[in-house]
Amino acid sequence: MPDPALSAEQEALFRLIEDTNEHVFVTGRAGTGKSTLLRHLTWNTQKQIAICAPTGVAALNVEGQTIHSLFKLPIGLIADSDIEQSDATRKILNAIDTLVIDEISMVNADLMDGIDRSLRQARARRREPFGGVQVVMFGDPYQLAPVPPRGDEAKYVTDHYRSFWFFDAKVWAGESADDGLLDMGRHGAHLNIRELTQIHRQDDDAFKTMLNAVRYGRVTADIAGKLNAAGARKPPEDPLDPIITLATRNDRVNQINAKHLDALPGKEQTAVADVNGDFGRGDSYPADENLRLKVGAQVMFLRNDAAAGGEPPRWVNGTIGTVTKIMADSVRVEVDGDEFDVEPVVWEKYRYAYDPFQKKLSREVAAEFTQFPLRLAWAVTIHKSQGKTYDRAIVDLGAGAFAPGQTYVALSRLRSLDGLYLTRPLRPRDIRVDEDVRRFMKGAWEAQGSQMRAVTA
């Protein structure tokens, strides 16, 4: 798809990243265009960049590597253990000008320090944060949280860190996990925090205000009443007018999808993915390894329309449709009254390598996963709805939101309040904000408020 035009605030942030060596954390509410800016940076930078993310699926979405794969870090707590590096890894890390980390909110403090140590060690610049590499991070801590450590790992984090979030890593405070104070000034590596403010997903200012209140945990009785009143309507059941349920747990999602698929008449068919190379475990696959389908199945597209060229895309990642025909090499899907033949697509898993002849980073395909870019979509987990946009959705919080930001992620997928349906009214305990996030973002606003409010300045 063509490179989308940047807004003024996105362009200003791109120039900050491209024209300086500043460490930058790009954050913002859902729908403010963080992913658009990241794609623009990927396609237009003149720097040698390496892109990574904490999970396999997140890395696939940005055509990068996982953090652990790029840095060859051990799984689990890194703490003060030795970091072994091969010559090949050192060459790769030495060639990087800018390290881009997506979904940074899922990176814990210990891993952030592991990245710092790895870069300093590989680049023989042990007194300089990240070995002199510019670090650019994208994400919203109000939406996704790192997996909390458990057992002895939790005890270690409690003893050594203020919290397990990336922003409490020692590198930002002028410390290192392995060699005490670094020569980087009293405040550590300086982090420029920039918050994109222009929302592109929603147009209704009143709905934006409600979402903002949910994001910050400041929902008044009036706002809760309006959300619950809108969501109390009975959702439509027209099979030609599909609607998706966003649920908190996998078991609930699987139950809803299986129930609806089994209720359809006709023969069930299964499309088996073709996996080449080391693509990791099944939970890192970008689509179902075994995709169960029937005519009449409600499905969600998992990729943008790659064949659109200069034309408007026929579908985008998150579009909902209905299967009308299953053929040997394609699936016909009806979307908004139009039918399209959908063919399998290839997801490529990349790894970085060092090209000694050009003395540059090169990116090569390490594995391929081929499958129809579809998923059963009577229901999907709120976590997997991250980054998607829906005209309408049923939000099923079940026994309650169990993670901070979960309710905000679900509600902010919608374009408007008119598309909201709730299986039950929102309760006060559904609106959860992590106190460490609240503390960090409050401090960021106080320290860098003018820049965060106006990145175009």
Side-chain angles (χ1 to χ4, degrees), residues 167-175 181 184-189:
F167 47 73
D168 281 328
K170 295 178 183 294
V171 64
W172 306 119
E175 300 177 56
L181 290 175
M184 60 177 87
R186 215 170 67 184
H187 300 294

Side-chain angles (χ1 to χ4, degrees), residues 261-341:
L261 187 68
D262 292 343
L264 290 174
K267 180 182 178 182
E268 178 182 308
Q269 299 187 51
T270 301
V272 180
D274 183 15
V275 185
N276 291 309
D278 182 12
F279 217 95
R281 301 186 304 257
D283 58 359
S284 66
Y285 290 166
D288 291 338
E289 184 177 9
N290 298 291
L291 175 62
R292 300 168 57 204
L293 293 174
K294 282 184 182 180
V295 171
Q298 183 167 294
V299 291
M300 179 176 68
F301 284 85
L302 302 176
R303 288 272 291 265
N304 292 338
D305 179 13
E311 300 296 323
R314 295 168 295 175
W315 60 78
V316 296
N317 188 358
T319 294
I320 305 296
T322 303
V323 174
T324 58
K325 189 175 182 180
I326 302 173
M327 296 159 280
D329 55 0
S330 64
V331 176
R332 187 165 296 166
V333 180
E334 184 272 325
V335 178
D336 294 333
D338 295 319
E339 293 190 350
F340 308 108
D341 287 344

Side-chain angles (χ1 to χ4, degrees), residues 3-16 26-27 31-41 195-201 454-457:
D3 190 356
L6 297 184
S7 66
E9 65 174 1
Q10 289 171 326
E11 179 64 32
L13 261 176
F14 172 69
R15 293 266 49 102
L16 172 66
V26 180
T27 188
T32 50
K34 297 183 292 294
S35 297
T36 298
L37 176 58
L38 192 156
R39 286 195 299 270
H40 183 86
L41 174 65
E195 182 163 10
L196 293 169
T197 59
Q198 184 179 347
I199 298 176
H200 305 280
R201 181 174 294 151
V455 297
T456 57

Side-chain angles (χ1 to χ4, degrees), residues 104 227 454:
I104 187 63
L227 288 170

